[in-house]
Amino acid sequence: MPDTQIVHLNGAFLPIGEAKISVLDRGFIYGDGVYEVIPVYKRAPFRMAHHLRRLQYSLDGIRLANPKDDAAWDELVRALIARQPFDDQAVYLQVTRGVAKRDHAFPKGAAPTVFLMSNPLPLPTPEQVAHGVAAITAEDNRWHRCDLKTTSLVGNVLMRQLAADVGAVETVMFRGGWLTEASASNVLIVKGGKIAAPPKDHQILPGITYDASVEFARSAGMPIDIRPISREEALAADEMWLSSSTKEVIAITTLDGRPFGSGVPGPTFRRMYAAFQSHKPPGSRRV
Ligand code: PDD
């Protein structure tokens, strides 16, 4: 993105090249902050209320007061969207515990740092939708509060890099033999036409796209179960999907270097994908 891309920092809109924070920002020093990624179709945020609810949940989880109410967030996000030259966007929103002398304990009286930027929405290519993507598996070694969307992402970064190292798009993780999620996506499986997804506990991020997929599947009359999924069950599934705000729903067709399921996106995926598209604003739907 050009240096002139307009971002928001602590109350001001300015070119990204001019947006500066202190080296003492606790986001920089400790990863002490939370974030959201909100997909935007044709300049309309998708499921904004859900993202703002999760933002509040993450802020509560790290004991940081929300610097804005939902109406103010909504206005700010829309003002940022209006300043971008492209229609489909991914708004990145981050709140940190602010600038203070380095000390692990919470600083008294520090103002939170609020940063937002918006980039073009990097949806999977039509080719990836048609043929699926490659993923690998690994043991989930992250902390036990993966339900909080914190900016402390080095665990996820290392997992994602394992995939990048072998040209795959994601790393699907198991903790003690149970499916959790992927490095930046949730994971759903299908067996015998029935969808299953792990429960939203502390081991996974409560994905907005996961929720949307569950809701859209149910309204389309597709059977879906939320329950723990063992590694054996996951690896023996007919289909495996990734969901995220920037991926929508995408099929994994290669896992650990071998074809997964039938090696092509399955019939249940195609139904889910169509259902997902039908819930997007007209004009931004894909076939
Ligand atoms: N990642 N799990 C993890 C670990 C994630 O980082 C994400 C999203 C998801 C899916 O959540 P949602 O459907 O709300 O996007 C699950 C975002 C897109 C990111 O960090 O860029």
Side-chain angles (χ1 to χ4, degrees), residues 4-266:
T4 51
Q5 177 191 2
I6 299 297
V7 300
H8 176 97
L9 181 62
N10 294 332
F13 287 100
L14 70 179
I16 194 163
E18 290 171 27
K20 302 276 189 326
I21 58 158
S22 165
V23 291
L24 287 178
D25 194 280
R26 290 178 63 100
F28 180 60
I29 297 281
Y30 293 116
D32 187 5
V34 301
Y35 77 106
E36 277 297 324
V37 175
I38 308 169
V40 174
Y41 296 109
K42 299 281 173 233
R43 297 187 178 274
F46 188 67
R47 304 209 138 200
M48 174 99 103
H50 298 74
H51 284 276
L52 294 181
R53 208 175 307 135
R54 186 174 62 186
L55 174 66
Q56 184 65 58
Y57 178 82
S58 298
L59 286 166
D60 290 346
I62 71 160
R63 297 166 59 191
L64 179 58
N66 195 334
K68 297 180 192 300
D69 62 20
D70 281 4
W73 279 120
D74 191 277
E75 193 183 321
L76 181 54
V77 167
R78 288 174 199 277
L80 181 73
I81 292 168
R83 285 170 166 80
Q84 311 307 319
F86 35 84
D87 289 344
D88 290 350
Q89 306 181 20
V91 170
Y92 176 87
L93 177 173
Q94 167 173 334
V95 184
T96 79
R97 211 180 301 275
V99 177
K101 180 175 171 297
R102 186 177 182 277
D103 177 1
H104 287 58
F106 298 168
K108 292 202 172 57
T113 299
V114 173
F115 172 66
L116 290 90
M117 64 180 163
S118 191
N119 293 312
L121 183 62
L123 287 179
T125 62
E127 224 262 319
Q128 288 177 316
V129 175
H131 301 291
V133 297
I136 60 166
T137 60
E139 179 66 20
D140 194 340
N141 58 11
R142 300 171 304 158
W143 72 331
H144 290 276
R145 292 308 308 273
C146 298
D147 55 322
L148 304 177
K149 203 163 174 61
T150 74
T151 58
S152 322
L153 283 175
V154 71
N156 301 64
V157 165
L158 290 171
M159 285 293 162
R160 172 73 178 81
Q161 188 57 35
L162 289 178
D165 286 344
V166 295
V169 310
E170 259 295 19
T171 301
V172 173
M173 296 180 281
F174 298 94
R175 199 190 281 272
W178 298 94
L179 174 65
T180 55
E181 59 178 344
S183 73
S185 333
N186 290 110
V187 178
L188 300 91
I189 63 162
V190 180
K191 185 74 179 180
K194 203 167 187 184
I195 308 166
K200 291 191 290 177
D201 56 17
H202 285 186
Q203 312 300 343
I204 71 169
L205 188 80
I208 306 301
T209 322
Y210 163 115
D211 280 346
S213 306
V214 170
E215 209 181 293
F216 299 163
R218 286 192 174 131
S219 64
M222 300 165 75
I224 178 157
D225 261 359
I226 307 300
R227 56 175 171 75
I229 298 167
S230 70
R231 179 201 304 268
E232 291 68 35
E233 182 182 4
L235 297 183
D238 300 328
E239 303 183 28
M240 190 181 285
W241 311 339
L242 299 166
S243 75
S244 88
S245 292
T246 51
K247 294 186 191 76
E248 299 181 340
V249 189
I250 186 94
I252 294 173
T253 47
T254 302
L255 192 66
D256 291 329
R258 288 181 295 276
F260 189 80
S262 62
V264 294

